[in-house]
Amino acid sequence: MQRYILARLVQALVMLIVVSVIVFGVARMTGNPVDVYLPVDVSPEQREEEVHRLGLDRPIYVQYGIFVSGLLRGDLGESVKFRKPVSTLIRERLPNTASLVLLAIAIALVLAFPLGIIAALRQGGPWDVAARVSALLGQSVPTFWGGIMLMLVFAVQLGWLPVARKESLASYVLPALTIALFGFMLAGVVRLLRTSLLEVLDSEFVKFARIKGLPEYVVILKHALRNALIPVVTFVGMYFGILLAGSVTVETVFAWPGIGRLAYEAVRWRDYPVIQSVVLVAATIIIMTNLVVDILYGYLDPRIRYGRSG
Amino acid sequence: MADESRAMMGQATVARSLTAGRHRGVWARLPLVPLLLLGLFVLVALLADLLALASPYDTALRLRFAPPFWMDGGTLSHPLGTDSLGRDILSRLIFGARISLLVGLAAVALGGVVGTILGLVAGFYGGWLDVVIMRAADAMFSLPTILLAMLLAVTFGPGLDNLVLVLALVLWARFARLVRAETLTCKVRDYVALARVGGCSSPRLILVHIFPNVLNPLVVLATLQVGYVVVVEASLSFLGAGVPPPIPTWGTMISEGLEHITAGWWLSVFPGVAVVLLVLSVNLLGDWLRDYLDPKRRRR
């Protein structure tokens, strides 16, 4: 188990390094990174000064060293638009995104469990068909457009809910529903639960529980569901990071003050330090959640840690 | 000439019915609805200049927010209404189809070719090449697509060519991963060993003996990725990091519709419906191809 955890840790570290090299490299692909975010009318002396201040006149590996040591100290540079350290901006915005995504996951799970279980038990029935159609739609409807449609119906036409911005608890409803319904969360969990339940229901121990004469609901809820849960837990864990990063469009639609909206504003203002940091933070969160899920999975399923990856 | 080709086609039909099995009844089992929809989109995109009733760029401020023709105040000269600048929505939808399909196909082609080559090389040669290529692919998976594309849009400036490059940069990893896995299973087969004994060079082995066996899953992946790219392109254009205005794209149209959401629902509804229909038909076609090309699934 220790070897397994160590291997996963090393892998995550390598990924972090590769990601930092990519982000570092992108800024230098167009030439000098200061040109991306300094105003066009800056004087050559000022430009020279800025280049020297940021160490951009040093060799490339020294520059990378400066970049990484900044990251490790939590120094992500300063926002061109807000005139504030980027780390402060992200610390202000990240909780808004996290609470929204957690709520969306909760909604998706509450809806997905009954749907997934019924779909598996009544294979080919109307609920099964509904689950499959919703999965297909979840794949084809762009999340942000689904959000706009919800906004159009529930905020503009019916006036039940606020249109945008984070003002009260009611402001959470539409963006969270959007991510749950159209962010592939609901469809993904339903599909996964259905297939893994079908697989488990076919196994020997479920047959044995039935032969023992246990009531059907005990067989399903206690014996089958518990074992069908492992892949669902993995999916939700991995998806948390992806949703956190992928909430850009939804936050933009609902003017939600999270890191996604921050990224959108950064693109509008060509605020290079901000967009670069959001990418780095998002990638770090994804790598970390994957690491945690991998390790948890190793505990849950002994076959994995003794199997191929030792 | 025409008779000759018809005769040849006749022969082909006979041959097809004789070689029973694989090709029998393909035509009957084709997914008609997705194919027709997709054909419609392609046709409309190709013939945009002939079809579009009005120019997608012409503004008419007196005609702002004209509703679709079946509503009060709508006219048949703008069947799906007009936007905040009085531009014809149907015409912008038709020209938008061109952008969506162009970006989708170009990005998948570019990313697919690069990813396939890298995947073949990584799988076939192994060693440090494999490690470097696959670690880079892993990193692409942990970088969120839309955020990375936004970063690159800020760095290189918005534009159609940059957008295709960015999307290809994201896509290659998916192709590389699939092709590498398929190459690894092919590589150890007897026919590859035999060809090697027969004096076949490595590049020839890859091209003639391995690549054709990777083709089926590759085609399925490519089809499904076209749908994915269309959604990502719409998202990026919506965020202002895709194709810059005034070029009509479905994503920018949805973004303008959101800006004027209280003025008219048709501004944001129609371009979204177009995205959904295109992506849905591509996905259904991809699912069908997967079932058709995979012998294990087909028997069911």
Side-chain angles (χ1 to χ4, degrees):
Chain A
M1 190 62 195
Q2 275 163 341
R3 274 193 61 188
Y4 171 78
I5 293 179
L6 195 69
R8 283 288 167 279
L9 274 174
V10 170
Q11 204 182 5
L13 195 66
V14 171
M15 297 269 275
L16 281 173
I17 294 171
V18 174
V19 165
S20 74
V21 169
I22 291 176
V23 170
F24 171 82
V26 163
R28 277 142 188 89
M29 266 197 262
T30 44
N32 204 318
V34 290
D35 296 327
V36 180
Y37 66 87
L38 278 185
V40 213
D41 53 345
V42 72
S43 74
E45 293 81 36
Q46 280 173 312
R47 184 180 175 278
E48 213 48 51
E49 201 179 300
E50 187 68 13
V51 164
H52 186 72
R53 191 178 72 82
L54 295 172
L56 293 171
D57 47 358
R58 318 267 288 274
I60 190 99
Y61 55 89
V62 178
Q63 288 183 33
Y64 180 71
I66 296 172
F67 176 72
V68 170
S69 74
L71 293 185
L72 292 178
R73 278 181 282 113
D75 176 10
L76 299 169
E78 190 176 280
S79 158
V80 177
K81 187 205 166 198
F82 296 99
R83 296 271 156 221
K84 264 196 214 176
V86 179
S87 52
T88 315
L89 283 173
I90 287 180
R91 219 172 297 137
E92 284 167 9
R93 303 282 195 109
L94 196 55
N96 290 335
T97 301
S99 58
L100 183 64
V101 167
L102 284 175
L103 182 63
I105 290 179
I107 294 174
L109 289 181
V110 167
L111 294 175
F113 269 83
L115 256 179
I117 293 173
I118 297 172
L121 294 182
R122 305 261 180 280
Q123 230 183 317
W127 284 102
D128 191 19
V129 174
R132 249 186 286 167
V133 170
S134 76
L136 199 60
L137 278 179
Q139 243 177 359
S140 311
V141 178
T143 316
F144 67 100
W145 185 72
I148 296 176
M149 292 303 103
L150 289 181
M151 182 196 280
L152 205 53
V153 174
F154 294 104
V156 177
Q157 299 285 334
L158 300 171
W160 291 352
L161 292 160
V163 175
R165 270 182 279 283
K166 189 187 169 214
E167 277 152 0
S168 61
L169 279 179
S171 312
Y172 272 95
V173 179
L174 284 182
L177 259 183
T178 303
I179 297 177
L181 293 180
F182 302 108
F184 203 58
M185 194 67 214
L186 178 63
V189 174
V190 169
R191 185 196 278 185
L192 208 59
L193 198 60
R194 178 181 175 274
T195 38
S196 72
L197 249 184
L198 281 176
E199 208 170 287
V200 173
L201 283 173
D202 206 34
S203 64
E204 297 295 321
F205 70 87
V206 169
K207 279 178 203 152
F208 179 69
R210 280 192 177 135
I211 293 168
K212 260 198 328 192
L214 289 178
E216 189 64 15
Y217 73 90
V218 175
V219 174
I220 287 160
L221 292 182
K222 200 170 164 213
H223 295 262
L225 192 58
R226 202 189 270 182
N227 284 285
L229 270 182
I230 298 179
V232 177
V233 171
T234 327
F235 176 78
V236 172
M238 299 222 163
Y239 226 70
F240 175 71
I242 294 175
L243 282 179
L244 219 49
S247 59
V248 190
T249 52
V250 178
E251 287 186 7
T252 303
V253 167
F254 292 100
W256 190 260
I259 52 164
R261 175 86 189 177
L262 185 65
Y264 169 73
E265 285 162 7
V267 169
R268 286 246 139 150
W269 292 88
R270 295 182 61 81
D271 198 340
Y272 195 83
V274 171
I275 182 76
Q276 169 182 307
S277 307
V278 174
V279 172
L280 277 173
V281 168
T284 309
I285 292 174
I286 291 179
I287 292 172
M288 287 306 170
T289 44
N290 284 1
L291 177 69
V292 171
V293 168
D294 267 354
I295 291 175
L296 276 182
Y297 209 37
Y299 275 110
L300 287 175
D301 192 341
R303 279 170 300 184
I304 300 219
R305 59 175 185 264
Y306 296 122
R308 50 201 162 84
S309 41
Chain B
M1 190 65 180
D3 285 349
E4 216 172 77
S5 64
R6 198 171 303 141
M8 275 167 67
M9 271 165 67
Q11 270 174 6
T13 321
V14 173
R16 197 180 301 127
S17 56
L18 284 178
T19 52
R22 185 176 170 117
H23 287 287
R24 186 199 279 164
V26 176
W27 303 108
R29 281 183 287 125
L30 274 180
L32 265 187
V33 176
L35 268 183
L36 280 177
L37 262 174
L38 206 59
L40 184 73
F41 274 111
V42 172
L43 207 66
V44 153
L46 285 176
L47 302 176
D49 296 298
L50 302 173
L51 279 174
L53 303 158
S55 152
Y57 297 106
D58 278 357
T59 58
L61 291 180
R62 275 179 301 118
L63 276 173
R64 299 172 70 206
F65 302 117
F69 71 89
W70 62 85
M71 285 171 67
D72 279 346
T75 61
L76 267 176
S77 55
H78 299 294
L80 297 183
T82 59
D83 67 5
S84 59
L85 296 173
R87 294 174 296 195
D88 184 58
I89 287 184
L90 179 64
S91 162
R92 288 176 70 74
L93 277 182
I94 289 174
F95 277 89
R98 197 177 256 193
I99 301 289
S100 283
L101 284 170
L102 187 73
V103 171
L105 294 176
V108 170
L110 189 61
V113 168
V114 173
T116 304
I117 292 173
L118 288 175
L120 283 169
V121 167
F124 188 81
Y125 291 104
W128 64 270
L129 257 176
D130 184 29
V131 172
V132 170
I133 293 174
M134 290 331 285
R135 281 298 89 83
D138 286 345
M140 297 313 296
F141 275 96
S142 61
L143 282 166
T145 308
I146 295 208
L147 283 176
L148 180 66
M150 288 166 84
L151 173 71
L152 294 168
V154 172
T155 316
F156 299 111
L160 203 58
D161 41 354
N162 283 345
L163 184 66
V164 170
L165 276 179
V166 166
L167 290 169
L169 192 67
V170 172
L171 287 176
W172 75 266
R174 300 169 179 230
F175 286 91
R177 199 174 260 193
L178 174 90
V179 170
R180 174 181 174 270
E182 295 286 327
T183 307
L184 285 180
T185 53
C186 271
K187 196 169 79 167
V188 293
R189 295 275 162 79
D190 288 341
Y191 62 82
V192 174
L194 274 175
R196 165 94 69 200
V197 171
C200 191
S201 68
S202 289
R204 197 180 142 81
L205 260 182
I206 294 178
L207 267 179
V208 178
H209 296 281
I210 293 179
F211 178 64
N213 289 298
V214 173
L215 211 52
N216 278 357
L218 195 61
V219 168
V220 175
L221 181 71
T223 313
L224 293 173
Q225 293 308 310
V226 171
Y228 173 75
V229 171
V230 170
V231 171
V232 174
E233 185 273 322
S235 309
L236 287 173
S237 295
F238 170 77
L239 292 168
V243 184
I247 300 172
T249 72
W250 295 342
T252 27
M253 289 176 74
I254 296 174
S255 157
E256 285 159 6
L258 175 66
E259 220 173 295
H260 305 282
I261 192 159
T262 46
W265 54 266
W266 54 92
L267 269 71
S268 53
V269 168
F270 292 131
V273 170
V275 176
V276 173
L277 286 180
L278 176 56
V279 175
L280 197 63
S281 51
V282 171
N283 282 346
L284 284 171
L285 187 68
D287 283 348
W288 178 84
L289 268 175
R290 183 177 51 206
D291 292 348
Y292 174 68
L293 292 175
D294 185 348
K296 266 172 284 168
R297 280 166 172 269
R298 212 184 325 146
R299 241 173 266 136
R300 281 186 212 160

